[in-house]
């Protein structure tokens, strides 16, 4: 399939952001095109933390979409990133997730690359005893894996394959960049733990979920049972100008009293379950404001969370049309006291595949993937809060989801595509 244009047999998509056709989560030709236009297109993809590359020669292997990538710190102190792919026959160069290396030598035929991704050696390049070998005009500099541009913000490393991608902070927008710095700036992160969660749904369903402030206190009963997050709290959403990045946040309202808005709408908001150890709910004041929950996303697949004192980064990686890997990295900081570190470790039980708060997120996307199996010609309704894509002082809106689809449609060429009349 050509990656230059959309497949002409795609069904129609209404010219509105309030309807999302289910076929967009189901087709392999769409998935393949996303790899080229989105993940290898003009976007910044989260790669790793700077602290994971603290010494010369250190490296991480990761992915941009389904493309394997190596990120290194060379002896000049600079960061570099390039495809984890030998230019000879395509084998992986780095087989471990992280480590230290002087260079990378392909195990298949021993072609060697430096820490910047340049091909520096070919085994038996000149043949043996004057016979065989590469052609006389073979040029090492002309061969090598594709390289990425690298930029960082607040210790987060992002990469892009495209020269057309704006500078990172321009791409994020001032408000989103400031919210990243609010959580991470001027502190040296310490990794408390990490794992990969396999999710049984399309990657875009997870990104919708991240941007969906409407569901949080409805799906997650733990939030309302223990008064951690309710739609009646102060808060809002921030949406970047192009729609790709967002922030959802809620604050402690020290003046409000108990409300009955969930009970009035007959929405479950309390549980008979209680905690044997309620110290998991005890935290410490970490920021100058009263924000206790902030979920931030960077298009196409990065999430920064602050839930109470549980801080983590999430990397969303598509595996195929209906499978996604979610890489979690839990963070503390080298300035934490022993008591603060203990609180962070306890509160890490709030999130993740078995977390009190977010275990539902790991399965609800699968419920959608299964529910739409026989309905590729139908569409989701995304009208909560209207039809706009604007920032808001309320969270009972799907504006940031609509904004995601605005950016997606533009990058996939769906805004100016002549869609077929047949479904």
């Amino acid at each position: 399939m050509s990656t230059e244009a959309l497949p002409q047999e795609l069904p129609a998509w209404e010219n509105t952001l309030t309807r999302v056709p289910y076929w967009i989560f189901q087709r392999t030709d769409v998935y393949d095109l996303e790899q080229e236009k989105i993940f290898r297109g003009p976007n910044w993809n989260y790669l790793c933390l700077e602290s994971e590359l603290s010494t010369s020669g250190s490296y991480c292997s990761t992915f941009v979409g389904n493309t394997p990538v190596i990120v290194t710190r060379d002896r000049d102190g600079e960061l570099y990133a390039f495809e984890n792919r030998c230019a000879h026959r395509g084998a992986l160069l780095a087989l471990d997730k992280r480590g230290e290396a002087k260079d990378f030598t392909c195990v298949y035929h021993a072609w060697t690359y430096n820490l910047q991704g340049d091909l520096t050696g070919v085994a038996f390049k000149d043949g043996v005893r004057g016979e065989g070998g590469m052609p006389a005009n073979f040029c090492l500099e002309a061969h090598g894996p594709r390289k990425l541009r690298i930029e960082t913000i607040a210790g987060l490393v992002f990469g892009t394959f495209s020269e057309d991608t704006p500078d990172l902070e321009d791409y994020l927008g001032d408000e989103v960049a400031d919210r990243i710095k609010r959580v991470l700036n001027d502190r040296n992160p310490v990794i408390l733990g990490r794992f990969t969660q396999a999710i049984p749904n399309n990657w875009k369903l997870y990104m919708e979920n991240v941007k969906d402030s409407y569901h949080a206190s409805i799906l997650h009963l733990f939030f309302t049972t223990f008064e951690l997050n309710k739609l009646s709290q102060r808060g809002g959403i921030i949406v970047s100008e192009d729609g790709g990045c967002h922030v959802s946040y809620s604050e402690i309202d020290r003046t409000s009293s108990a409300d009955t808005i969930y009970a009035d709408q007959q929405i479950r908001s309390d549980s008979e379950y209680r905690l044997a150890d309620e110290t998991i709910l005890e935290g410490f004041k970490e920021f100058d404001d009263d924000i206790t929950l902030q979920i931030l996303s960077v298009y196409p697949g990065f999430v920064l969370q602050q839930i109470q004192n549980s801080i983590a980064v999430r990397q969303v990686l598509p595996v195929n049309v209906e499978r996604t890997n979610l890489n979690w990295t839990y963070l503390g900081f080298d300035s934490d006291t022993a008591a603060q570190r203990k609180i962070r470790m306890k509160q890490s039980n709030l999130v993740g595949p078995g977390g009190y708060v977010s275990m539902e997120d790991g399965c609800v996307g699968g419920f959608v993937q299964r529910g739409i199996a026989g309905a590729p010609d139908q569409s989701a309704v995304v009208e909560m809060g209207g039809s706009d894509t604007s920032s808001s002082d309320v969270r009972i809106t799907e504006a940031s989801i609509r904004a995601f689809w605005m950016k997606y449609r533009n990058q996939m060429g769906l805004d100016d595509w002549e869609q077929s009349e047949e479904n």
Side-chain angles (χ1 to χ4, degrees):
M1 185 194 82
S2 170
T3 58
E4 297 302 316
L6 283 161
Q8 292 305 303
E9 68 275 13
L10 285 181
W13 185 337
E14 293 182 62
N15 188 27
T16 173
L17 297 174
T18 66
R19 296 294 183 272
V20 179
Y22 292 136
W23 56 258
I24 203 72
F25 304 109
Q26 298 172 320
R27 296 179 60 117
T28 56
D29 49 4
V30 170
Y31 173 88
D32 291 340
L33 198 63
E34 289 168 350
Q35 299 303 316
E36 183 68 24
K37 288 184 172 287
I38 293 177
F39 292 98
R40 291 191 294 273
N43 296 310
W44 287 105
N45 297 270
Y46 171 73
L47 300 177
C48 62
L49 298 165
E50 275 195 273
S51 61
E52 297 181 85
L53 303 168
S54 57
T55 59
S56 297
S58 54
Y59 72 88
C60 294
S61 62
T62 183
F63 290 85
V64 168
N66 61 10
T67 303
V69 167
I70 301 172
V71 192
T72 69
R73 188 177 295 278
D74 201 358
R75 291 166 186 82
D76 61 2
E78 297 297 319
L79 297 176
Y80 298 89
F82 48 92
E83 276 185 292
N84 189 359
R85 174 184 62 83
C86 180
H88 178 215
R89 300 280 290 281
L92 291 172
L93 295 173
L95 302 179
D96 296 324
K97 289 186 176 180
R98 57 193 58 84
E100 294 190 3
K102 295 180 180 179
D103 53 33
F104 295 97
T105 300
C106 178
V107 298
Y108 201 176
H109 298 96
W111 286 33
T112 301
Y113 303 79
N114 63 22
L115 293 174
Q116 298 184 26
D118 302 317
L119 178 63
T120 57
V122 171
F124 301 112
K125 175 178 175 293
D126 299 322
V128 177
R129 300 189 181 95
E131 296 183 355
M134 302 297 285
N137 64 351
F138 180 80
C139 177
L140 295 176
E141 291 78 11
H143 298 272
R146 289 176 291 187
K147 297 183 179 182
L148 291 81
R149 289 168 54 202
I150 290 284
E151 287 195 30
T152 65
I153 181 171
L156 304 172
V157 181
F158 288 83
T160 178
F161 280 105
S162 175
E163 291 301 318
D164 296 327
T165 312
D167 291 344
L168 179 57
E169 294 214 23
D170 291 335
Y171 179 88
L172 298 170
D174 291 341
E175 289 183 290
V176 175
D178 287 347
R179 290 300 181 120
I180 291 175
K181 295 172 184 176
R182 169 188 170 271
V183 175
L184 297 176
N185 240 15
D186 300 323
R187 299 197 288 179
N188 295 317
V190 175
I191 294 174
L192 304 183
R194 58 174 126 226
F195 57 83
T196 297
Q197 179 182 1
I199 300 177
N201 53 263
N202 188 277
W203 70 275
K204 299 185 293 297
L205 287 172
Y206 185 79
M207 290 308 296
E208 276 194 329
N209 177 273
V210 166
K211 294 171 179 287
D212 180 4
S213 54
Y214 174 34
H215 88 278
S217 62
I218 299 173
L219 176 66
H220 304 307
L221 188 56
F222 191 91
F223 268 153
T224 47
T225 296
F226 296 102
E227 301 285 335
L228 297 181
N229 181 28
K230 299 177 72 173
L231 286 171
S232 52
Q233 288 179 289
R234 294 183 305 176
I237 63 166
I238 298 167
V239 183
S240 63
E241 185 175 349
D242 69 354
C245 306
H246 106 290
V247 182
S248 173
Y249 64 94
S250 62
E251 305 179 31
I252 297 172
D253 191 344
R254 302 183 187 279
T255 63
S256 68
S257 56
D259 60 62
T260 62
I261 63 168
Y262 289 81
D264 292 345
Q265 298 201 32
Q266 298 183 341
I267 296 174
R268 61 176 194 153
S269 61
D270 197 4
S271 168
E272 72 275 16
Y273 295 107
R274 290 296 179 262
L275 293 166
D277 180 5
E278 293 194 358
T279 61
I280 191 175
L281 302 175
E282 296 175 0
F284 60 94
K285 186 166 177 59
E286 190 166 1
F287 305 101
D288 293 336
D289 52 40
D290 284 333
I291 295 173
T292 55
L293 185 146
Q294 176 181 291
I295 302 296
L296 179 152
S297 70
V298 176
Y299 184 93
F302 170 77
V303 182
L304 171 65
Q305 73 163 53
Q306 175 223 335
I307 301 176
Q308 305 292 95
N309 300 115
S310 176
I311 295 173
V313 295
R314 312 176 200 168
Q315 182 188 33
V316 181
L317 296 176
V319 176
N320 57 40
V321 171
E322 53 186 30
R323 291 289 182 271
T324 302
N325 281 341
L326 180 58
N327 291 333
W328 296 74
T329 305
Y330 294 93
L331 301 180
F333 300 92
D334 62 5
S335 57
D336 289 345
T337 66
Q340 290 170 339
R341 182 67 50 81
K342 185 175 182 179
I343 288 170
R344 293 197 199 279
M345 294 297 291
K346 281 190 173 185
Q347 291 187 358
S348 68
N349 291 289
L350 296 174
V351 291
Y356 291 128
V357 171
S358 62
M359 59 181 171
E360 298 93 349
D361 290 329
C363 61
V364 74
F367 295 165
V368 176
Q369 196 79 46
R370 290 155 57 189
I372 66 176
D377 58 341
Q378 301 297 305
S379 297
V381 177
V382 191
E383 291 188 22
M384 183 60 65
S387 60
D388 71 341
T389 59
S390 304
S391 300
S392 171
D393 290 332
V394 299
R395 290 171 294 137
I396 314 173
T397 176
E398 294 170 317
S400 53
I401 299 177
R402 291 188 290 269
F404 171 85
W405 290 114
M406 178 178 70
K407 171 107 175 177
Y408 179 91
R409 286 177 58 138
N410 178 267
Q411 289 207 316
M412 290 287 283
L414 285 162
D415 283 335
D416 55 8
W417 172 57
E418 292 186 4
Q419 301 163 328
S420 68
E421 294 299 324
E422 297 180 2
N423 288 332

